[in-house]
Amino acid sequence: MNELAWIDVALRAARPRAIGALLRYFRDLDLAEEAFQEACLGALKNWPQNGPPRDPAGWLIFVGRNAALDDVRRRKKEQALPPDDEAVRGDAEDTEAELAERLDDGHYRDDVLRLLFVCCHPELPSTQQIALALRIVCGMTVKEVARAFLVSEAAMEQRITRAKGRVASADVPFQTPDAAERGARLRAVAAMVYLVFNEGYSATGGDAPVRAPLCEEAIRLARLLLRLFSDEPEVMGLCALLLLQHARTAARLDADGAIVLLEDQDRASWRRDLIAEGLALLDKALRHRRPGPYQIQAAIAALHVRAARAEDTDWAEIDLLYATLEQLQPSPVVTLNRAVAVAKVRGASAALELIEPLAPRLAGYFHFFGVKGALLLQLGRADEARAALGQAMALARTAAEAAHIRSQLDRLVGDSQAPPSP
Amino acid sequence: MLYAMLCYNSEEIVGSWSKAEDDAMMERLDVIRQRLTREGKLGPVARLMDTTAAVTLRKAGRGRRLEPSDEPAIVTDGPFAETKEQLLGFYVLDCANLDEALAIARELGQENPGGAYEIRPVRLFFPGAAQPGAPGRIDR
């Protein structure tokens, strides 16, 4: 790796901490971002000569803050206003010595958490939350974010600007949070990181490669959270879940971009390194005996990756885990997922019984009709299966989803001469 | 003389390499490792997982023997972070899970109080080929 590439990597790694602290000084996202940009320019000039500083984030915060303060002062002089440092609020009187003490991650903790929390402000719709986090925290360019969301650069620029505007006019608490507030923020941020991951993961069509970076950014954010909140079992669970899911990415589509179901996937192509790390994190989390939705979902993912062959999967345990998840976090989608396990343990008709009541709430959900169609198919109820699959077809979001349903429908036509399977 | 070589770097930076970059580096190291193995110079090599996967057992006691008044050992999440103690050695253990590894750490800590054991999952392990004389003997 050459020197510039090394600096680029170091700047990326320091970004959330540095922007988090600069946001605390300036209480303004744009100003914090500008200050960070200035500091990066300084780093590109200074680091190759003097070597990397011991604490890159601390260096960037100090340099960025000074550069931005100079800018603010200069602008004021140009506008011929009386000198008034009120525009720059926060603890701008921090000395360099104090900054040196910020070497410890613990000191960055609340800054990074606040920055992430600002990005998932409850007034922002989830698509804006994700876009803002990818742009501000991860440092993806507007062009990269636009590509990942499959929208034009101009549309994404507008979305991010709108999100920043909303955040600026919203009330963002800057005092150090107490334990309860910290917990609430952490939950909101974890949910946002999970959304970022799903945005990348649910892209099952031919556009998957451009969205894979979203999964990687989500994992980076989850690791960052875990470094800062190292004793939170749900953060361990989230990180484990993302690693275990991401480990299967390469096996989810075949060479033609068609969906490969879990039971048909080539398990040799799953990433063993990610699986090992995910399992280790889950193991660590479970010791706390404080279960939560991410730990349970990670435990389910772990049962899948632990099975050497699809038929070795412990479906009874998966059914139990989904039942626990249903109690903790009732949702028709969770019940639908449970139905897949129930079908394996107690048969298709038990599963069908479980999902029938979900119909009104999942009337617009592709996977509901996909699962329903597959269950009806297993029961040999061809006409009903055809109707359900037809509805799934209409709700497919990607070409790969549509193709997957089409192949099931084709099989139905092919089988129609044969007697129904038992 | 047997030497242990301890590897240090920023895991955030190493962790941000792409899989291709990481694989390429591991391949370059593999060439050296194979040569050292042929020469019989290489013992066990381990690449550890991120410190986020670590837990630390802070051992009970301070002296040579455990005293009844000593505080019990405590387990915390994350790596060993103090700087007043130094790395004095390491074990490689093959355990079914973290609980078993912690049980062994506690047992060792009973006989050797004070300090801490950081327990970190191993990501890659090569047993190596070094045969430095009889077990326990250090050749000069």
Side-chain angles (χ1 to χ4, degrees), chain A residues 169-192:
Chain A
S169 60
D171 210 13
V172 176
F174 276 88
Q175 66 277 25
T176 303
D178 61 21
E181 173 64 20
R182 193 177 280 135
R185 287 185 190 186
L186 198 52
R187 272 193 298 281
V189 166
M192 184 267 284

Side-chain angles (χ1 to χ4, degrees), chain B residues 87-108:
Chain B
L87 180 67
L88 301 187
F90 63 90
Y91 296 86
V92 176
L93 300 164
D94 189 3
C95 300
N97 53 39
L98 180 59
D99 281 337
E100 192 188 344
L102 277 168
I104 294 171
R106 283 178 201 279
E107 189 186 346
L108 292 166

Side-chain angles (χ1 to χ4, degrees), chain A residues 49 73 138 144 154 172 188 269 291 294 300 323 351 378 383-384 417:
Chain A
Q49 283 167 19
R73 287 195 196 103
C138 303
E144 286 167 335
V172 176
S269 71
Y294 296 120
I300 292 168
Q378 282 180 45
D383 288 343
E384 292 160 276
Q417 280 85 15

Side-chain angles (χ1 to χ4, degrees), chain A residues 295-317:
Chain A
Q295 291 171 76
I296 294 171
Q297 291 175 81
I300 292 168
L303 287 170
H304 285 302
V305 300
R306 279 200 169 112
R309 299 167 307 165
E311 55 267 40
D312 300 333
T313 311
D314 188 348
W315 288 106
E317 186 65 25

Side-chain angles (χ1 to χ4, degrees), chain A residues 86-380:
Chain A
E86 274 306 293
V88 181
R89 287 167 296 175
D91 37 351
E93 59 281 349
D94 267 17
T95 62
E96 191 172 4
E98 278 176 275
L99 273 174
E101 285 174 17
R102 297 186 181 279
L103 284 171
D104 182 0
D105 265 344
H107 292 279
Y108 292 125
R109 209 166 82 141
D110 290 325
D111 285 344
V112 174
L113 185 58
R114 180 186 303 108
L115 175 65
L116 284 160
F117 186 64
V118 162
C119 294
C120 62
H121 200 281
E123 281 182 27
L124 298 179
S126 64
T127 49
Q128 285 186 17
Q129 292 183 4
I130 304 171
L132 199 58
L134 290 171
R135 174 69 206 96
I136 307 273
V137 187
C138 303
M140 281 172 77
T141 63
V142 173
K143 192 174 173 186
E144 286 167 335
V145 184
R147 253 172 68 89
F149 273 93
L150 314 172
V151 300
S152 74
E153 207 175 325
M156 184 49 72
E157 183 80 63
Q158 202 186 21
R159 194 184 292 181
I160 291 173
T161 308
R162 208 175 295 149
K164 278 186 182 170
R166 279 197 177 177
V167 167
S169 60
D171 210 13
V172 176
F174 276 88
Q175 66 277 25
T176 303
D178 61 21
E181 173 64 20
R182 193 177 280 135
R185 287 185 190 186
L186 198 52
R187 272 193 298 281
V189 166
M192 184 267 284
V193 172
Y194 186 60
L195 273 179
V196 172
F197 185 84
N198 272 343
E199 189 67 32
Y201 195 72
S202 63
T204 43
D207 45 25
V210 295
R211 292 161 74 96
L214 295 187
C215 295
E216 279 153 28
E217 290 302 335
I219 289 172
R220 250 161 56 85
L221 289 173
R223 284 188 203 275
L224 173 71
L225 275 186
L226 189 54
R227 282 203 182 94
L228 299 176
F229 299 90
S230 57
D231 56 357
E232 288 291 338
E234 272 294 84
V235 177
M236 297 171 205
L238 172 67
C239 207
L241 172 62
L242 304 193
L243 288 166
L244 294 174
Q245 301 278 60
H246 193 52
R248 300 198 299 246
T249 298
R252 293 172 68 218
L253 294 177
D254 68 13
D256 304 322
I259 294 172
V260 184
L261 292 178
L262 185 56
E263 55 195 50
D264 301 324
Q265 286 175 11
D266 170 18
R267 293 179 180 230
S269 71
W270 291 354
R271 293 265 309 265
R272 302 319 302 185
D273 54 337
L274 301 184
I275 289 173
E277 191 183 351
L279 293 177
L281 285 174
L282 178 63
D283 199 6
K284 229 179 107 161
L286 297 180
R287 288 191 64 254
H288 287 263
R289 312 224 175 283
R290 275 163 52 203
Y294 296 120
Q295 291 171 76
I296 294 171
Q297 291 175 81
I300 292 168
L303 287 170
H304 285 302
V305 300
R306 279 200 169 112
R309 299 167 307 165
E311 55 267 40
D312 300 333
T313 311
D314 188 348
W315 288 106
E317 186 65 25
I318 291 177
D319 178 22
L320 281 177
L321 285 166
Y322 270 123
T324 314
L325 189 59
E326 265 182 322
Q327 287 179 343
L328 232 60
Q329 203 181 52
S331 130
V333 173
V334 172
T335 308
L336 182 65
N337 283 326
R338 186 180 170 197
V340 176
V342 167
K344 301 278 184 188
V345 184
R346 278 173 273 153
S349 60
L352 204 56
E353 217 167 277
L354 188 67
I355 67 165
E356 289 291 0
L358 308 176
R361 278 178 298 165
L362 294 180
Y365 192 56
F366 165 77
H367 289 291
F368 174 72
F369 294 102
V371 170
K372 188 177 171 185
L375 291 172
L376 287 165
L377 216 52
Q378 282 180 45
L379 292 169

